[in-house]
Amino acid sequence: MILPMLPESTLNRIETPARYIGGERNQVVKPRGEVDLRVALCYPDSYEVGMSHAGLRVLYEVVNRRSDAAAERVFLPWVDAIALMRDEAIALSSHETGTPLAQFDLVGITLQHELTFTNVLEMLDLGGIPVRSADRHGSHPLVVGGGPCAFNPEPMADFFDLFVIGDGEEALDDLLDLLASLPDELARREGRADEARRELLRRCAEIEGVYVPSGYRARESAEGMLIPEAIDETFPPRVTRRVVNDLNTAPWPCAPVIPWTEAVHDRAEIEIARGCTRGCRFCQAGMIYRPVRERDLDTLVEQAVEIIRNTGWDELSLLSLNCPDYTQIADLIDRLHERLASERVSVGMPSLRVDTFSVGLADRLQRVRKSGLTLAPEAGSQRMRDIVNKDVEAEDLFASVRAAFRAGWQRVKLYFMMGLPRETDEDVLAIADLVGEVRRIGRETMTKGGYGRLGINVSVNAFIPKAHTPFQWIGMADPETLQRRRELLFSRLTDRRVSLSVSSGGSSVLEAALARGDRSLCPVIESAWRAGAIYDGWTECFDGERWHAAFGEHDLDVEAAARRSIPREAELPWDVIDSGVTREFLLRELDCALEGAHTPDCRAEGCNVCGMTALVADCPPVRWQGREGDRQ
Amino acid sequence: MSEQPPIRHFAIIRFGKTGRTRFLSHLDLARAVDRAVRRAGLPVKYSEGFNPSAQIGYASALPVGTAAEAEPCQIELTRPMPADEIHRALAAELPEGITLADTRVVSGPRRKHISGSEIAEYEIELDASGAPCVEALRQGVQELLDAGELMVLRETKSQTREIDVRPGIQELSVVEPRSEEAGPRIRMTLALQQDKLVKPSEVIEWLERRLFGLTGRDVRLDVRVVTRLGLR
């Protein structure tokens, strides 16, 4: 039976009802009863955000390829619709068939960001599933987490039955194979439901890359952190991340569901590479997605053409942590142009390196539409860029913007961080100096009219230490320091061509506290959610006081948790997850940071012994000579 | 010798927005049509400049929640193409719920072929539960037609003023329910142009007030679906 997600009578009482009507082009509907396994793929944020997520589309493809399984999409309704659903006792259900969340076999929820944690609880509860894993029994779905935040699963350990660590394509298939092979009496035994469920979780834990939190009990470490320890040999002491070795054999969705409303990223996407080994020391993605793996050029071109044919999108975005580093990037762009220019498809890249090569690429790309150019020098002073291992010098930035202004760009966006380890006020003021120089270059290079329209957007975010990075031992800067540096920047950057936005405290502090948290945060998250916390990543919904109170209720302090420095010898709550990168490597990188020593990219300069050779044969799979301008 | 204006080629379609797709905003709908046209491979013409856009125009934007049966839309093409070919290709690519009523083609110097509609026909289906009987509705409708005026409040940026929209109501009638479970329907032909514009909701609200006056009890006309049947 196919039901709507919300009854029609509710749709004229909520904002943007189109996001709840379902029936989008390219959705896959397998009626109930036609397949054995029903998988809900949940994105714990709004439809517009969730429909933009490539990972969800990939898993939708992985599941729907199987003849024995159906994947259906579930997003968190906006707050007005949630209120209405609670009033009228309407359970959260899927877009495809209106199946309530509680009736799926497997509920997969991606954790892209710490500030979506309360949304997870809201989705489970609204879907009729007990929020705590311990309260679920045989007939409840298996609640599975994944995504970058699963690399420190501890703050969410109580709410998930299991986590898949790393690339999900093969691991999800393995899980479904297991569920399909289980006899019914084990999977859904009515009588001794608890026992059956425990047995099911044990079997899941045998799959590589699967972490079952209930198989671990928390022990308090010397430093007062809760460290998960396996209760018996069924559960591995450490769970090793899954790595898809060959992207060419990995599935890619070439007929993705087209959102009805304008999604955050409303465009076709091809993943040209996964991983980045440039080695920025603050960057979690640069550590947990190693090594760099590329898709073949021919495969990519065929995928791009097919997606455009199946969707009618007029924009194609290349996905990678570092697009210009793709070994055949220039050829790829030319080939895509050749095949797609007549279809009026513009090709774009979300991330650019700060070098003239990248600007040259961007110029090639944006022949059709010239929007703003985004560059991320990350820090203002050379000293800070050395500390974070950002391989960019001031002169690279100047050469890049000079090239951009000459090529006709009038708007540039510059990304920086502040509150980095060992940072001083002078380092932050150096941001202002860089921006001043960029403006001067604009005046020098641009025509008078162009300079009149010059816009420099400067975005400065607070540094947040993340698990599995060389900076995981270092606390976030204190709020007073961040506030002072923020004011310094505002006092220096007063030119009308420069618009400055500096992230202000509140939600960054919470994100930092959650990112390096342990199991003691599970009840805190639940308390905050019960007190009404939801959509914490949205400024209009975030309420710092509510979180303050929730931490206080459990004798914890959100700021202290965010600022905490961890001794380097300490056991860490996320040690149970083996990202492939070793503690020795991270510590070595931390030491290099404090000395300002540069660590080059292993693709060009040889192995840095990060540990990935243990997971990937013949690592690194991609090698090259480096680019002009790379520091040797 | 004066220069001849270029010959332009158009597909003029009339599409419907049925079922749950009536909850699309005009912008969402336009995006969906845009993509369907691209998937269908129609030789659509694009504008010049930095942000080229497909030259697709609509007679009138529909509000969120209003269904439609035959909304005019013009698609400019780079070359002429037979109407039935366009119709087939496009119908196959429109998302479910967006229907294609008919397709014709024109070529000539004119740039606009669908503007200038002056009236719109609507059918409003009432919710069966609580709806007054067809007779009572007919009586209310007759009173409205007999009344000289229908005063409504209109807000502009600077002020709110009361205007008489009665001249904009051209036809108004009550239709029997489609089935036993369905509610009665009210058909209306209303002016669309700015100065005389009447909204279906204004007519419904007036009827509610009149029926209350007639019967002495609280009457609510719960609208199930508003469908714009067409533009003229």
Side-chain angles (χ1 to χ4, degrees):
Chain A
M1 189 169 50
I2 294 171
L3 292 171
M5 181 200 155
L6 288 178
E8 226 174 85
S9 59
T10 62
L11 292 173
N12 52 12
R13 291 182 277 148
I14 46 184
E15 263 179 63
T16 325
R19 55 185 151 181
Y20 310 109
I21 62 177
E24 296 93 333
R25 186 85 183 177
N26 293 340
Q27 73 166 2
V28 177
V29 180
K30 301 185 183 178
R32 290 187 219 184
E34 245 175 51
V35 291
D36 295 334
L37 296 168
R38 307 212 71 90
V39 178
L41 294 176
C42 305
Y43 195 99
D45 208 306
S46 70
Y47 176 83
E48 286 78 1
V49 176
M51 284 294 288
S52 306
H53 185 60
L56 202 76
R57 290 184 198 153
V58 170
L59 296 181
Y60 193 75
E61 173 80 16
V62 166
V63 178
N64 279 327
R65 275 178 166 204
R66 298 175 62 114
S67 58
D68 63 347
E72 307 193 5
R73 297 161 298 141
V74 184
F75 305 102
L76 182 62
W78 190 242
V79 286
D80 61 336
I82 292 175
L84 181 146
M85 290 166 77
R86 294 220 178 263
D87 272 356
E88 307 194 3
I90 300 169
L92 180 60
S93 64
S94 66
H95 281 252
E96 277 74 7
T97 60
T99 304
L101 211 49
Q103 290 176 23
F104 281 87
D105 298 294
L106 189 152
V107 169
I109 308 178
T110 182
L111 299 173
Q112 292 294 314
H113 198 267
E114 289 81 0
L115 298 181
T116 62
F117 285 176
T118 53
N119 294 355
V120 171
L121 275 64
E122 183 71 21
M123 287 185 87
L124 292 173
D125 188 59
L126 201 56
I129 300 172
V131 296
R132 294 184 157 263
S133 168
D135 297 333
R136 295 179 202 134
H137 52 71
S139 69
H140 284 121
L142 209 52
V143 178
V144 180
C149 293
F151 280 80
N152 177 20
E154 291 306 287
M156 293 295 278
D158 287 356
F159 313 117
F160 282 92
D161 299 320
L162 60 96
F163 293 92
V164 169
I165 312 300
D167 296 334
E169 293 101 326
E170 294 165 1
L172 183 54
D173 244 342
D174 291 349
L175 261 176
L176 293 176
D177 285 344
L178 173 69
L179 292 182
S181 73
L182 283 180
D184 266 4
E185 65 268 30
L186 174 60
R188 296 177 197 81
R189 189 154 37 169
E190 285 305 319
R192 310 170 73 177
D194 294 345
E195 195 188 304
R197 195 168 179 87
R198 269 200 301 276
E199 180 55 26
L200 171 64
L201 290 176
R202 275 179 190 279
R203 298 284 296 274
C204 291
E206 289 166 7
I207 298 173
E208 203 188 318
V210 168
Y211 173 60
V212 174
S214 59
Y216 299 75
R217 73 171 69 84
R219 171 178 55 79
E220 193 170 331
S221 71
E223 292 80 15
M225 283 181 290
L226 297 181
I227 310 298
E229 263 182 350
I231 53 174
D232 60 44
E233 302 78 58
T234 322
F235 301 98
R238 299 188 77 199
V239 172
T240 305
R241 170 193 150 209
R242 292 294 288 262
V243 183
V244 168
N245 275 307
D246 185 2
L247 290 188
N248 292 305
T249 55
W252 186 256
C254 289
V257 184
I258 308 170
W260 279 127
T261 62
E262 189 165 18
V264 179
H265 301 310
D266 204 5
R267 61 195 183 197
E269 291 175 326
I270 50 173
E271 186 192 31
I272 63 172
R274 201 176 290 183
C276 171
T277 40
R278 287 277 175 176
C280 294
R281 293 173 180 131
F282 56 84
C283 179
Q284 192 189 39
M287 299 294 155
I288 65 173
Y289 297 126
R290 289 176 170 227
V292 176
R293 292 147 285 165
E294 294 186 347
R295 265 198 182 85
D296 289 345
L297 192 144
D298 290 338
T299 310
L300 289 169
V301 174
E302 288 318 307
Q303 287 177 349
V305 170
E306 202 184 331
I307 299 172
I308 295 302
R309 191 170 53 220
N310 287 332
T311 61
W313 265 314
D314 60 1
E315 202 183 327
L316 172 74
S317 183
L318 310 183
L319 290 190
S320 161
L321 287 170
N322 196 338
C323 289
D325 272 3
Y326 181 74
T327 40
Q328 294 170 279
I329 186 70
D331 289 347
L332 176 64
I333 289 170
D334 287 346
R335 288 275 301 282
L336 290 172
H337 264 298
E338 207 176 283
R339 293 292 296 275
L340 297 172
S342 62
E343 315 261 328
R344 306 260 177 181
V345 176
S346 70
V347 183
M349 296 192 292
S351 56
L352 277 190
R353 278 181 53 74
V354 184
D355 57 32
T356 48
F357 173 73
S358 298
V359 173
L361 287 181
D363 188 29
R364 257 196 240 217
L365 285 174
Q366 302 210 351
R367 257 179 248 143
V368 195
R369 279 164 220 176
K370 201 153 257 170
S371 50
L373 186 78
T374 303
L375 297 169
E378 307 292 4
S381 69
Q382 189 58 48
R383 194 179 78 86
M384 285 318 298
R385 286 192 299 272
D386 289 343
I387 286 178
V388 303
N389 204 39
K390 183 77 188 184
D391 185 17
V392 164
E393 292 179 24
E395 202 35 62
D396 299 324
L397 173 66
F398 303 150
S400 301
V401 294
R402 197 172 290 123
F405 294 150
R406 286 213 176 104
W409 268 282
Q410 291 166 345
R411 281 185 297 125
V412 290
K413 188 166 189 178
L414 303 175
Y415 274 109
F416 294 96
M417 274 186 292
M418 68 173 186
L420 286 160
R422 301 282 167 103
E423 183 184 86
T424 64
D425 289 0
E426 284 66 41
D427 292 312
V428 173
L429 287 174
I431 295 175
D433 295 340
L434 276 190
V435 173
E437 183 61 18
V438 167
R439 184 174 61 85
R440 207 190 55 74
I441 292 169
R443 192 173 55 211
E444 202 180 85
T445 325
M446 300 168 93
T447 61
K448 208 171 168 200
Y451 183 60
R453 283 188 294 273
L454 171 63
I456 307 172
N457 275 309
V458 180
S459 170
V460 186
N461 286 305
F463 160 68
I464 295 172
K466 296 271 166 129
H468 301 282
T469 66
F471 289 167
Q472 65 183 356
W473 290 280
I474 296 173
M476 190 182 177
D478 64 86
E480 296 74 31
T481 303
L482 289 174
Q483 184 56 25
R484 185 178 68 248
R485 292 185 182 154
R486 177 186 151 89
E487 281 161 17
L488 273 177
L489 271 183
F490 272 102
S491 71
R492 286 289 181 94
L493 289 173
T494 51
D495 190 277
R496 65 173 177 82
R497 294 171 186 81
V498 178
S499 82
L500 173 64
S501 85
V502 183
S503 73
S504 53
S507 63
S508 311
V509 173
L510 173 63
E511 186 183 335
L514 296 173
R516 295 187 304 154
D518 61 14
R519 279 193 193 190
S520 66
L521 295 190
C522 296
V524 174
I525 292 166
E526 189 174 342
S527 293
W529 167 68
R530 292 205 186 277
I534 190 178
Y535 280 114
D536 293 306
W538 295 67
T539 38
E540 64 262 52
C541 297
F542 179 74
D543 181 348
E545 280 310 307
R546 196 150 47 197
W547 276 99
H548 221 89
F551 273 79
E553 204 180 298
H554 300 277
D555 296 322
L556 293 166
D557 183 296
V558 61
E559 267 177 22
R563 287 170 53 189
R564 170 170 204 175
S565 287
I566 303 175
R568 46 199 293 159
E569 63 282 356
E571 296 172 274
L572 299 168
W574 52 91
D575 281 343
V576 70
I577 304 300
D578 176 7
S579 72
V581 171
T582 61
R583 165 187 285 253
E584 291 69 36
F585 173 74
L586 296 179
L587 279 171
R588 204 156 62 233
E589 280 299 292
L590 175 64
D591 289 336
C592 287
L594 302 180
E595 290 161 16
H598 175 62
T599 303
D601 192 316
C602 62
R603 281 171 297 176
E605 300 289 309
C607 183
N608 293 316
V609 200
C610 72
M612 283 310 298
T613 48
L615 292 192
V616 178
D618 203 19
C619 183
V622 177
R623 291 168 212 234
W624 44 258
Q625 301 306 309
R627 300 241 177 257
E628 198 185 332
D630 283 352
R631 208 156 15 139
Q632 301 303 306
Chain B
M1 202 177 88
S2 71
E3 212 175 301
Q4 290 288 314
I7 299 296
R8 296 166 183 273
H9 311 286
F10 291 93
I12 315 290
I13 63 167
R14 291 194 306 159
F15 67 88
K17 197 178 150 200
T18 66
R20 296 163 75 85
T21 63
R22 71 178 188 273
F23 293 101
L24 296 179
S25 70
H26 181 65
L27 204 66
D28 296 335
L29 173 99
R31 252 197 316 266
V33 170
D34 217 82
R35 288 174 187 150
V37 166
R38 292 172 56 86
R39 286 195 299 271
L42 301 184
V44 61
K45 193 169 185 314
Y46 280 80
S47 62
E48 310 285 327
F50 276 133
N51 283 303
S53 58
Q55 296 300 86
I56 301 176
Y58 296 83
S60 158
L62 281 163
V64 173
T66 299
E69 287 192 351
E71 292 292 299
C73 163
Q74 66 170 39
I75 303 165
E76 187 169 355
L77 304 175
T78 55
R79 56 180 167 82
M81 217 177 135
D84 58 341
E85 229 173 274
I86 295 170
H87 190 90
R88 243 193 332 270
L90 192 53
E93 293 300 338
L94 283 169
E96 205 183 318
I98 301 175
T99 54
L100 195 54
D102 51 45
T103 304
R104 63 189 171 93
V105 290
V106 272
S107 291
R110 275 177 64 191
R111 288 164 177 272
K112 287 185 176 172
H113 294 270
I114 53 168
S115 52
S117 302
E118 288 178 355
I119 51 171
E121 278 178 82
Y122 294 93
E123 182 180 280
I124 287 131
E125 186 178 327
L126 300 176
D127 205 283
S129 63
C133 66
V134 172
E135 275 321 302
L137 281 171
R138 287 209 168 116
Q139 203 182 338
V141 160
Q142 197 50 52
E143 281 204 22
L144 177 52
L145 290 175
D146 293 344
E149 57 177 25
L150 170 53
M151 304 304 291
V152 300
L153 289 177
R154 282 288 162 81
E155 280 174 47
T156 61
K157 272 181 196 132
S158 52
Q159 56 175 346
T160 303
R161 62 197 180 97
E162 205 176 22
I163 60 161
D164 179 16
V165 296
R166 173 63 187 85
I169 305 177
Q170 301 201 349
E171 289 166 32
L172 187 61
S173 63
V174 180
V175 185
E176 299 282 344
R178 267 179 235 275
S179 66
E180 275 185 28
E181 300 83 53
R185 293 168 286 164
I186 300 168
R187 283 208 181 180
M188 46 187 87
T189 306
L190 306 176
L192 202 59
Q193 302 299 56
Q194 272 308 325
D195 50 337
K196 286 185 285 189
L197 177 94
V198 192
K199 300 175 193 162
S201 61
E202 290 166 345
V203 178
I204 294 293
E205 279 159 28
W206 189 93
L207 276 175
E208 265 179 2
R209 287 198 303 273
R210 281 313 297 163
L211 289 168
F212 175 71
L214 283 175
T215 60
R217 60 188 174 87
D218 206 1
V219 173
R220 276 190 52 216
L221 300 182
D222 288 326
V223 174
R224 215 182 70 73
V225 190
V226 177
T227 305
R228 188 148 82 187
L229 300 175
L231 298 173
R232 275 191 269 147

